[in-house]
Amino acid sequence: MTGQMGDAPKSDRLSNIPRGVWALGIVSLCMDISSEMVHSLLPVFFVSVIGMSYTAVGMVEGAAQAIALITKVFSGALSDYLGKRKILALAGYGLAALTKPVFAIASTAGWVISARFLDRVGKGIRGAPRDALIADITPAAVRGASYGLRQSLDSAGAFIGPLIALLLMGMLAGDIRAVFWYAWIPALLAVIVLWFGVQEPRMHRASRPAKPPLHISEIRKLGKPYWIIVMIGAVLMLAGFSEAFLVLRAQQIGLSLSFIPLVFVVMNIVYTLSAYPAGVLSDHLGRPSLIIAGFITLITADMVLALATSLWHVMGGVVLWGLYMGLTQGILSAQVADTAPPELRGTAFGVFNLVGGIALLLASAIAG
């Protein structure tokens, strides 16, 4: 559970991170911009354009997230069994890209719901193989920095996307469908960068799992250190909750609806700025110290949000929340890669994401 301390200085420079990791980070950035251009407007589109109720919107979102979690497990295990990760990542990103025009032309709730489900299936298909692929192409000495970089670029898309959507809504006189068409551009760019920018190492047939995906004998090979990381990730998720509650808390204190997107922008800016430095530090100091710091930051953020009496207090809690994400998410991914056997990395990331996702759903239900 420690980082590669002897080789740590190699992670000091961004130039030491493999080209393929940079490409995967840019892919995440582009797809997140595209997805957030759609998702930031989707609740309004569901209700005001399609005519769905708020209850129906909540049910659709919950079911879509569940589908993504379940898909991650199977796609990760399949990438181990086939010895091919890039093709599954391409399938996931490609499917997500294809849904963007569907949102733009949809005229009924059925079309929009189908597109939303397919988008989440795409996210599920690509997640675990992509994370395992980063470990496959990254030297152990810069593993924390590599996962931190991808996480930083991914979270940058989470605030750039809504800002672009806001700008386009002003330029296009509030035409949501037109914004959805524009969202297709970064999604298509993500697929192109993945296709040409990432070279997958060839996995030796003898190192691939002999049993079918998710066979119990293969799961047992993951080992105790891996399951400790899974439990730590689940505990962190149980101590947290959906970022939607940050918005609700800000609204309770008095933030006007027009400034609600500011909550996500602030959180993701802090997340973006902290994830890569945290990854570099984990290569120097070892991963556990950063995870402990993240857990302390999360507890502090929860206390600040619970006791907040002004918008400044709430925004302070939002900043701490973004810092907690930066201190933990990329480092937990690096820990999964550290502890899982190379031939089972896809399965390991899939199971880790499933357990963490279930814990997040429970935490959000309790918070609600």
Side-chain angles (χ1 to χ4, degrees):
M1 291 178 64
T2 59
Q4 303 297 321
M5 297 180 66
D7 296 329
K10 294 180 181 179
S11 65
D12 285 340
R13 294 194 305 273
L14 287 167
S15 60
N16 288 313
I17 294 177
R19 176 175 173 269
V21 174
W22 277 101
L24 287 168
I26 293 169
V27 168
S28 293
L29 171 67
C30 292
M31 186 55 74
D32 232 44
I33 289 173
S34 173
S35 295
E36 293 303 325
M37 286 174 67
V38 173
H39 299 165
S40 62
L41 298 173
L42 203 55
V44 176
F45 185 71
F46 271 136
V47 175
S48 63
V49 179
I50 301 298
M52 292 175 61
S53 68
Y54 288 107
T55 302
V57 172
M59 292 175 64
V60 168
E61 287 299 302
Q65 297 301 335
I67 288 172
L69 289 173
I70 294 169
T71 309
K72 280 182 180 180
V73 178
F74 289 100
S75 67
L78 187 60
S79 76
D80 289 334
Y81 187 65
L82 297 176
K84 297 181 182 297
R85 309 201 197 278
K86 180 178 173 178
I87 188 65
L88 289 168
L90 273 170
Y93 281 108
L95 184 60
L98 288 174
T99 64
K100 302 303 185 284
V102 178
F103 286 115
I105 63 176
S107 57
T108 66
W111 276 101
V112 180
I113 292 171
S114 297
R116 180 63 173 144
F117 280 6
L118 287 174
D119 176 71
R120 293 299 87 183
V121 168
K123 182 178 178 65
I125 291 173
R126 69 182 183 251
R130 178 205 61 215
D131 290 342
L133 181 56
I134 291 175
D136 292 344
I137 63 178
T138 304
V142 294
R143 190 173 285 159
S146 295
Y147 280 104
L149 176 67
R150 194 211 69 83
Q151 206 70 59
S152 282
L153 291 170
D154 183 81
S155 54
F159 70 83
I160 294 173
L163 290 177
I164 293 175
L166 186 65
L167 178 64
L168 288 173
M169 286 288 282
M171 293 172 57
L172 301 170
D175 188 344
I176 295 179
R177 293 183 187 275
V179 175
F180 289 168
W181 277 113
Y182 277 101
W184 195 25
I185 298 172
L188 192 59
L189 182 60
V191 176
I192 293 171
V193 172
L194 177 57
W195 183 278
F196 292 104
V198 179
Q199 298 298 320
E200 181 174 19
R202 190 172 290 178
M203 292 179 67
H204 194 273
R205 181 172 294 274
S207 68
R208 284 154 47 188
K211 302 290 184 180
L214 297 177
H215 193 279
I216 189 64
S217 64
E218 299 298 326
I219 296 292
R220 286 174 179 165
K221 293 179 183 178
L222 290 173
K224 183 179 177 181
Y226 166 76
W227 290 109
I228 290 174
I229 296 304
V230 171
M231 288 189 291
I232 290 172
V235 169
L236 279 170
M237 290 299 179
L238 283 172
F241 41 77
S242 171
E243 289 91 342
F245 289 100
L246 300 178
V247 171
L248 293 176
R249 186 64 175 134
Q251 194 173 2
Q252 272 186 340
I253 298 297
L255 186 65
S256 65
L257 288 175
S258 58
F259 287 101
I260 286 296
L262 185 63
V263 173
F264 287 111
V265 170
V266 170
M267 186 201 74
N268 282 294
I269 286 176
V270 176
Y271 189 1
T272 298
L273 294 176
S274 59
Y276 172 70
V280 173
L281 280 175
S282 78
D283 289 330
H284 281 252
L285 305 175
R287 320 252 190 252
S289 56
L290 274 295
I291 293 174
I292 291 169
F295 193 78
I296 293 171
T297 304
L298 171 60
I299 293 171
T300 307
D302 285 347
M303 291 176 63
V304 170
L305 290 166
L307 301 173
T309 57
S310 71
L311 284 176
W312 287 109
H313 293 152
V314 172
M315 295 311 290
V318 169
V319 168
L320 287 170
W321 191 275
L323 181 58
Y324 142 69
M325 297 288 284
L327 287 171
T328 58
Q329 300 308 295
I331 293 171
L332 284 170
S333 293
Q335 275 285 58
V336 171
D338 289 342
T339 56
E343 71 276 11
L344 291 175
R345 281 173 177 154
T347 303
F349 276 106
V351 172
F352 176 79
N353 289 327
L354 175 64
V355 173
I358 292 172
L360 180 60
L361 290 175
L362 289 173
S364 297
I366 294 168

